[in-house]
Amino acid sequence: MLYFVGLGLFDEKDISIKGLERIRDSDEIFLESYTSRLTGTNIQKMELLYGKKLTILGRQDVENEPEKILEAAKKGDAVFLTGGDPMVSTTHSDLRIRAMREGIETAIIHASSIQSAVCGLSGLQNYRFGKSCSVPYPEKGWFPTTPLNTILKNLDDNLHTIVFLDIKPDRFMTVNEGIEIIEQMAGMENKTPPKLYIGIARAGSDAPAVIAGDAEKLKSADFGDPLHILIVPGELHMMEQEYLETFAGL
């Protein structure tokens, strides 16, 4: 049996009781480390609470070499842990499909995710979000502008956009960097960049940062420790406006 278990947003205590019980009752535990991170904890704290040794997986392990996960699920009960909700990534969906093709039963234990948390922290109404996008760190000879096009399309449709910021093994993209990169994209495409942003840091922690305003305000703001996420809102409903004024300094 292969269980997909979400860890929630910030630290080792965000896991559900159901998820924790499943970890403790299973034979092998795998932790996917590339789509999200629990920045409020570390592996040692997680292993202490969960009572199990964690096998850390990179993107290559999951996408191209998933055999050890599948073999563990064939021999007994295996758990595949992910930050947030377990099925928000297409690579996780692919792993579940592969398991089913090999006759391995699967189950999902859900958890809180950033996609729901941003609504509570920003006050933006969940049904007004369009397609999300990710802003990667540019590399030599590679500077994709697709994220800007997604944002501008959503703005044309009066929809909000969740902008996921890049995670590297040695660094995490900040809200400040994300806005600067979006502005560079706009310059390359000769298009007008968004006028309003909302930056969020450490969702799920006791002290999340939520700041709304124009690019200059957010580029100079100190959001503190990761993880950061960016929202580009469409035209604000009066309740959304008031919420941001009250809780995000708009």
Side-chain angles (χ1 to χ4, degrees):
M1 185 84 173
L2 178 58
Y3 294 89
F4 292 81
V5 177
L7 292 172
L9 293 168
F10 186 68
D11 62 26
E12 75 278 9
K13 296 177 182 179
D14 282 347
I15 192 169
S16 66
I17 294 174
K18 184 184 292 185
L20 181 58
E21 290 176 343
R22 175 45 53 201
I23 291 172
R24 291 176 174 173
D25 290 343
S26 294
D27 303 300
E28 291 197 52
I29 316 299
F30 299 92
L31 173 62
E32 180 267 276
S33 65
Y34 60 90
T35 58
S36 186
R37 307 277 179 86
L38 299 187
T39 57
T41 189
N42 56 45
I43 299 301
Q44 291 73 29
K45 290 180 180 179
M46 295 171 72
E47 290 181 337
L48 181 63
L49 177 63
Y50 304 158
K52 288 293 179 73
K53 179 73 175 177
L54 303 182
T55 299
I56 312 303
L57 303 174
R59 184 180 295 274
Q60 178 76 12
D61 299 314
V62 179
E63 292 186 354
N64 300 322
E65 300 170 5
E67 289 77 16
K68 60 184 175 182
I69 308 169
L70 299 176
E71 285 303 314
K74 289 177 181 177
K75 294 177 183 177
D77 288 338
V79 171
F80 181 79
L81 298 174
T82 67
D85 190 76
M87 304 310 293
V88 298
S89 170
T90 55
T91 60
H92 305 163
S93 299
D94 179 67
L95 178 61
R96 190 179 187 209
I97 291 171
R98 292 190 193 200
M100 292 297 286
R101 285 175 177 169
E102 296 193 23
I104 301 168
E105 289 189 61
T106 65
I108 302 169
I109 299 177
H110 294 282
S112 55
S113 77
I114 191 62
Q115 290 177 301
S116 57
V118 295
C119 297
L121 290 170
S122 69
L124 299 184
Q125 297 164 352
N126 65 343
Y127 61 87
R128 294 196 57 218
F129 281 85
K131 181 181 178 181
S132 61
C133 63
S134 300
V135 172
Y137 281 111
E139 298 178 8
K140 185 177 180 180
W142 183 72
F143 199 134
T145 58
T146 303
L148 174 69
N149 296 329
T150 298
I151 293 168
L152 296 181
K153 175 63 168 60
N154 283 340
L155 288 175
D156 286 341
D157 294 336
N158 196 22
L159 297 173
H160 310 317
T161 308
I162 295 177
V163 182
F164 296 99
L165 304 177
D166 204 358
I167 298 174
K168 296 291 188 185
D170 59 342
R171 58 178 173 163
F172 304 89
M173 185 180 292
T174 65
V175 166
N176 323 70
E177 291 173 319
I179 293 173
E180 289 177 353
I181 292 173
I182 290 171
E183 290 183 327
Q184 292 176 41
M185 292 178 187
M188 293 169 61
E189 295 286 307
N190 196 28
K191 295 179 179 178
T192 302
K195 293 180 172 59
L196 181 63
Y197 297 91
I198 305 164
I200 296 175
R202 298 173 307 284
S205 74
D206 292 334
V210 186
I211 304 174
D214 62 18
E216 294 309 310
K217 176 181 177 180
L218 267 67
K219 284 193 296 183
S220 63
D222 181 6
F223 283 88
D225 294 334
L227 288 175
H228 292 192
I229 194 161
L230 186 62
I231 305 171
V232 179
E235 184 179 344
L236 297 174
H237 179 274
M238 63 179 183
M239 184 64 72
E240 295 174 318
Q241 176 87 21
E242 183 176 2
Y243 197 101
L244 289 170
E245 290 173 350
T246 305
F247 297 107
L250 181 63

